[in-house]
Amino acid sequence: DGDAGQTAGVLAAGAARVRGDHVAAVDLFRVALGQWPGHEDCLLYLANALAELGQEAEALARLQELLQARPDSSRAWMQVGRLHLPGGNAALDDLERAREAFGQAHAINREESGPLVQLGVTAMLRGADDEAERFFLDAATLHAGSVEARYWRGYLAWRRGDRGRAATLLQEARSLALEAAAK
């Protein structure tokens, strides 16, 4: 049955991705996309695997392909934003595009704290620390267990010279991380 074969291909690709075999995952996701063109998860996970292999420009192209079909994919917008942050392919570094992508992700799903955290990181990288602090506070309010929001607020406090506040926030982040790991 064709559907069973397509499903098996997607599952095999996903299994390779989960075990960290990104080369196999890329090959298997490409095969799956040949059988099931435009499959949202295949395009997203292919892009993620490509990014893991340092092929960020191709990863971005796959995400753009996904967004052509599904402009409401918050997950795709998040990955586009991450690919435009510094730290990978320097040719893709673009804080404004990252901000726009994270803003799109937030507009699509206002119940997720991740886009707010990333908007805060983007603001911080632009030197807009007050704006970053507001995003991190909003993320912590939206998701009381956000380790990242506390961590980045702690970092900002440290950067501003408020060592006591930094220590408190970083301890909160540590406690939340330990709680999450224990679950």
Side-chain angles (χ1 to χ4, degrees):
D1 181 52
D3 285 345
Q6 290 171 345
T7 302
V10 172
L11 291 174
R17 180 185 64 85
V18 168
R19 72 174 177 270
D21 187 351
H22 302 295
V23 171
V26 164
D27 292 340
L28 290 166
F29 280 124
R30 285 188 171 135
V31 169
L33 283 166
Q35 297 171 343
W36 205 344
H39 187 275
E40 181 177 359
D41 285 341
C42 285
L43 284 168
L44 180 69
Y45 294 136
L46 171 60
N48 291 349
L50 288 164
E52 288 292 331
L53 295 172
Q55 298 173 27
E56 294 180 357
E58 187 178 351
L60 187 57
R62 297 298 67 80
L63 291 166
Q64 299 294 351
E65 183 180 339
L66 170 56
L67 287 169
Q68 285 295 315
R70 291 288 314 269
D72 63 339
S73 175
S74 177
R75 297 182 304 164
W77 283 112
M78 286 294 290
Q79 287 305 93
V80 167
R82 287 184 184 110
L83 288 171
H84 283 299
L85 289 175
N89 182 341
L92 299 179
D93 290 359
D94 188 327
L95 291 178
E96 183 57 26
R97 283 189 176 169
R99 186 195 64 74
E100 289 170 2
F102 295 134
Q104 280 293 114
H106 179 60
I108 291 165
N109 189 349
R110 294 194 177 274
E111 296 178 13
E112 289 288 326
S113 61
L116 291 170
V117 169
Q118 294 303 322
L119 283 163
V121 168
T122 305
M124 190 173 58
L125 290 170
R126 290 188 343 262
D129 287 0
D130 290 341
E131 180 183 351
E133 176 73 19
R134 284 190 301 277
F135 280 123
F136 297 140
L137 270 170
D138 288 348
T141 300
L142 184 62
H143 176 48
S146 175
V147 174
E148 289 178 303
R150 300 277 181 327
Y151 172 84
W152 287 116
R153 288 183 64 219
Y155 174 76
L156 283 174
W158 174 82
R159 195 156 91 172
R160 290 175 173 156
D162 188 346
R163 302 298 191 248
R165 183 74 179 135
T168 298
L169 287 163
L170 292 171
Q171 181 56 47
E172 286 177 19
R174 182 178 186 277
S175 296
L176 288 170
L178 290 172
E179 278 178 40
K183 291 182 182 180

